[in-house]
Amino acid sequence: MKVFKVITGACTSFVLSSACASPVDLSNALPNFFGVGIGSTTEYAGGKDRIVGVLPGMRYVTSGGHLFEWYGTYAQYNFGSLTGFQWGPALALRLGRRNVDDPVVSQVHDVSNTLEGGGFAGYEYSHAGDVPYRLRGEVTVVTNAGAVYTGARVSVNTSAWFPLHTRVFIGGGAGATWVSGGFNETYYGVTTEDAQNSGLPVFNPGGGLNQLTGWIAGIYQLSPKWYAGAMIYYQRLMGDSAASPIVTQRGTRNQLTYGAGIAYAFQ
């Protein structure tokens, strides 16, 4: 098992965001915070070898009422309301695939790290009744303008948070991602040269549904300023992504990420 300073894969940003992003009193505005999480995930999407790493995160409301969120490999800036309609730019660091442990996949073409840019739009509802809860839905579209892959990624994600106690509450969510053919060719394709080097069959994927996701998390308020949490995040590769011999012969379509985090809230 490899150990890295930063966990590979955009999905792992949820480990920290879910462990830190909600206060116990869900009826109030969420606090500003800075935190760090540690977790384990697969070495690359579709693989089965695992890595362990850490990632930072931050939530900050500006003096103008805009919201900045940064969770590991993903960041967004909300020009909309803190609750209600939300929208703005989004950036994601998509880490590549190189020097992997699998001796066969290591002979398939390397994939470089790349910065993805785009935007998001969503809606957040906060219920302040006897049993407060928060619901959020969001659509994100990003691309790297052909630097590593062509086309784009489109993700739809939902989440909900409910209190179990004055200092304990749980959250969960589900999502789906669609990708372009150019994305799948880069991350899941096997070229003729790849096949000659690795022994895997040639595979030319198209675009479409890339994955379905689901997660559950728990958070505990340690003190007025400190929060701790843990999370399990599941991805199931779909379509041509799941049909790639990189996945079917050398990896698995079922990807599991888990971790824990701690955060400090500030004004």
Side-chain angles (χ1 to χ4, degrees), residues 9-81:
C11 69
T12 56
S13 65
F14 286 102
V15 172
L16 180 63
S17 63
S18 295
C20 311
S22 299
V24 172
D25 185 358
L26 295 175
S27 63
N28 293 332
L30 303 180
N32 296 326
F33 73 83
F34 181 82
V36 63
I38 183 170
S40 172
T41 191
T42 54
E43 192 176 6
Y44 54 90
K48 59 183 179 181
D49 294 318
R50 301 193 66 82
I51 58 173
V52 174
V54 298
L55 67 158
M58 184 177 184
R59 183 185 192 276
Y60 180 71
V61 179
T62 69
S63 58
H66 299 306
L67 173 63
F68 170 73
E69 292 178 287
W70 167 41
Y71 306 128
T73 57
Y74 179 80
Q76 65 182 38
Y77 191 87
N78 175 27
F79 285 110
S81 303

Side-chain angles (χ1 to χ4, degrees), residues 96-113:
R97 184 187 66 223
R98 60 176 64 242
N99 300 321
V100 299
D101 286 338
D102 188 293
V104 174
V105 179
S106 66
Q107 301 303 310
V108 177
H109 64 273
D110 287 341
V111 181
S112 300
N113 300 341

Side-chain angles (χ1 to χ4, degrees), residues 97 104-105 107-109 184-205 243-247 249-250:
R97 184 187 66 223
V104 174
V105 179
Q107 301 303 310
V108 177
H109 64 273
N184 270 345
E185 288 175 5
T186 297
Y187 293 95
Y188 300 98
V190 179
T191 66
T192 301
E193 182 179 356
D194 292 335
Q196 293 172 347
N197 293 334
S198 67
L200 294 174
V202 173
F203 184 67
N204 298 306
S244 168
I246 295 173
V247 178
Q249 296 189 25
R250 305 302 304 179

Side-chain angles (χ1 to χ4, degrees), residues 130 219 255 258:
D130 294 336
I219 300 177
Q255 306 281 285
Y258 49 86

